[in-house]
Amino acid sequence: EVMDSEGIDRVALFPTHSLRLGGVRQPQLAPALFRAYNDWLAEHCALNRERLLGIAMIPLQEPTLAVAEAERAVTKLDHRGLFISPHPVDKRNLDHPAYEPIWDLAEQLNVPALVHVSTGIRLPTAGAERFNRYCLFHLHAHPLEQMTAAASLILGGVLERHPRLRVGFMEAGCSWVPYWLERMDEHAENYRFEVPYLKERPSTYFRRQCFVSFELEERAIAYVAESVGAETLVFASDFPHHDCFYPGAVEKVCRRKDLDAKLVSAMLSHNPRKLYFGD
């Protein structure tokens, strides 16, 4: 009913409290919890698989088991993407060799890797050690962890090694992207001896393979579209969190005078299809 009233045809479903599963360290318990979540999500999406797109969680704590669970979640449970936590597990960033089979599988199965932050996880998180107020912690964690993930995936060579891998950076706004790509381009040039495997500028990899969701009132959307590429932006409602816009989320975007109809259509329709289905 909510989707119909908002004019939303399909929705990608991310976890809320289950975001914290990435911090479970017991080697037998963690994979079992991820399997249970993915099974439950499949039951939920079975109500209408055309409209409800499950995003599977995979246990990065156990990379070998993460590959097995990712394959099961996509091929057996029909989930449409892989939830990727940017937080380092055992000091592994996303460009760690242990994760290479995950990127291989995502390419093979034609599903995106979707980076999303958790502020309640028992893993290193930007801002966690410096602030004891949640507003300051949350302020830092979401964009800074996304920036770190983007740097790991791009400067770490993951997107060079996996040119068919699609990556989405979710729920941290899009305003950080132009600044961060400009800075990555500069560092890739100045420190090219450290990244000799990069055949393109970091910004080129982002435009070719990456997507970023925007906040509905974010003033930099048009600038990001112009400087990075309109093809990289995707709509996200964040429903039903307390800070989401409801009712009228889609209408809010469509009524913005600074966004032309072609850009709005791309962000609401074409780009999400390309992210989730590769169309």
Side-chain angles (χ1 to χ4, degrees):
E1 291 177 358
V2 169
M3 291 170 65
D4 289 343
S5 67
E6 290 289 290
I8 294 174
D9 295 322
R10 288 171 170 167
V11 61
L13 299 173
F14 287 81
T16 299
H17 295 300
S18 295
L19 291 169
R20 299 179 177 86
L21 295 183
V24 176
R25 299 316 311 271
Q26 291 83 349
Q28 293 182 330
L29 176 60
L33 290 172
F34 281 83
R35 287 195 298 271
Y37 172 82
N38 290 332
D39 287 343
W40 168 84
L41 184 60
E43 292 179 6
H44 181 74
C45 293
L47 295 170
N48 191 326
R49 292 192 180 278
E50 286 296 315
R51 301 188 70 183
L52 304 177
L53 309 180
I55 306 303
M57 296 192 71
I58 57 175
L60 296 181
Q61 304 96 312
E62 304 289 338
T64 301
L65 296 179
V67 174
E69 179 58 17
E71 183 169 17
R72 185 186 79 94
V74 174
T75 62
K76 304 296 184 184
L77 303 180
D78 202 28
H79 289 320
R80 198 54 249 166
L82 302 178
F83 176 98
I84 301 297
S85 172
H87 311 276
V89 183
D90 295 332
K91 299 182 179 180
R92 292 191 301 266
N93 289 313
L94 295 181
D95 60 336
H96 193 280
Y99 297 144
E100 283 295 298
I102 296 175
W103 315 132
D104 283 332
L105 183 66
E107 281 188 300
Q108 176 187 334
L109 298 177
N110 189 34
V111 294
L114 301 162
V115 182
H116 192 297
V117 178
S118 170
T119 52
I121 201 168
R122 294 182 179 181
L123 288 173
T125 306
E129 296 181 355
R130 301 184 65 175
F131 303 102
N132 57 14
R133 280 181 288 175
Y134 185 74
C135 73
L136 284 167
F137 173 33
H138 190 275
L139 171 72
H140 286 76
H142 276 266
L144 294 184
E145 286 295 339
Q146 294 284 30
M147 294 164 79
T148 300
S152 296
L153 291 168
I154 297 175
L155 292 180
V158 174
L159 299 190
E160 167 62 35
R161 295 189 295 273
H162 303 276
R164 293 182 294 110
L165 177 65
R166 303 189 302 280
V167 180
F169 297 95
M170 317 306 289
E171 203 184 335
C174 65
S175 302
W176 58 272
V177 176
Y179 162 74
W180 200 231
L181 291 183
E182 186 174 319
R183 188 165 174 81
M184 278 199 282
D185 282 349
E186 177 187 10
H187 279 66
E189 177 67 23
N190 293 339
Y191 300 94
R192 66 178 69 185
F193 57 90
E194 289 192 341
V195 289
Y197 42 81
L198 294 184
K199 298 177 182 178
E200 308 284 354
R201 290 162 61 89
S203 56
T204 300
Y205 290 108
F206 193 96
R207 292 186 184 98
R208 185 180 77 188
Q209 297 173 243
C210 296
F211 301 80
V212 61
S213 69
F214 59 87
E215 303 291 334
L216 270 59
E217 291 190 326
E218 205 167 355
R219 288 185 286 179
I221 296 174
Y223 172 67
V224 175
E226 179 183 357
S227 60
V228 180
E231 70 278 7
T232 65
L233 288 159
V234 294
F235 169 84
S237 68
D238 202 26
F239 180 87
H241 286 178
H242 72 281
D243 54 350
C244 77
F245 283 98
Y246 175 75
V250 173
E251 184 180 6
K252 191 174 188 66
V253 177
C254 293
R255 285 188 173 184
R256 283 187 51 161
K257 296 181 180 179
D258 60 327
L259 307 177
D260 63 46
K262 185 177 179 181
L263 174 58
V264 170
S265 178
M267 297 189 301
L268 296 184
S269 181
H270 177 72
N271 297 347
R273 282 203 309 272
K274 186 177 178 182
L275 172 60
Y276 290 102
F277 297 95
D279 296 343

